[in-house]
Amino acid sequence: MSVDDTASTDDLGAIRAALDRARELGGDALVHKLIELFLKTTPTKLEELDLAVTDRNAAGIAACAHYLKSSTAQMGVNRLADLAKALELDGRQGRLENAHAQAAEIGAAYRLAVPLFISFLASK
């Protein structure tokens, strides 16, 4: 994999730290549950975001971006959280001219993070 094909080194470190914190709280079982939940729910939210963008629904965009910002920050996917934060703010302010591109970038950041989580599941 090239650097363009995987999440950033910063995200990798942040993901590891987030998973280590979860492991301290609830062991490997909690880590597995969090990863599985993240991998299951995030694609649905991304689809909801795409629909809100297509509909030019500023409130829907802001709500989906807020959810994605919070969940991805908790999982250590900081680049995605930062992108979602920017889109949430734009949605709240009704600035939708870049929403398609922003949503696409968020989706791409998620797809880059997925292999990291899958590898964590496989390694434990």
Side-chain angles (χ1 to χ4, degrees):
M1 278 188 195
S2 72
V3 172
D4 294 335
D5 294 335
T6 189
S8 73
T9 303
D10 291 341
D11 270 354
L12 180 57
I15 289 168
R16 284 187 176 142
L19 297 178
D20 286 344
R21 283 190 302 276
R23 189 172 287 111
E24 289 173 9
L25 293 172
D28 285 339
L30 177 61
V31 171
H32 280 250
K33 184 175 267 187
L34 289 173
I35 291 172
E36 288 168 358
L37 184 64
F38 179 75
L39 294 174
K40 180 180 178 184
T41 60
T42 304
T44 301
K45 279 297 176 186
L46 291 170
E47 289 174 11
E48 291 175 16
L49 176 61
D50 287 340
L51 182 59
V53 168
T54 298
D55 292 345
R56 301 192 51 78
N57 176 349
I61 290 169
C64 288
H66 175 79
Y67 176 92
L68 290 165
K69 173 191 72 178
S70 300
S71 66
T72 58
Q74 288 297 316
M75 295 300 289
V77 190
N78 296 333
R79 179 171 180 269
L80 200 162
D82 290 343
L83 293 167
K85 180 180 179 180
L87 183 54
E88 177 187 9
L89 179 61
D90 285 350
R92 290 189 191 284
Q93 295 179 351
R95 293 188 315 236
L96 305 181
E97 56 275 355
N98 295 320
H100 279 284
Q102 289 171 291
E105 196 170 0
I106 288 169
Y110 171 74
R111 287 186 297 279
L112 292 176
V114 166
L116 297 173
F117 288 108
I118 291 172
S119 72
F120 280 111
L121 286 175
S123 69
K124 301 294 177 191

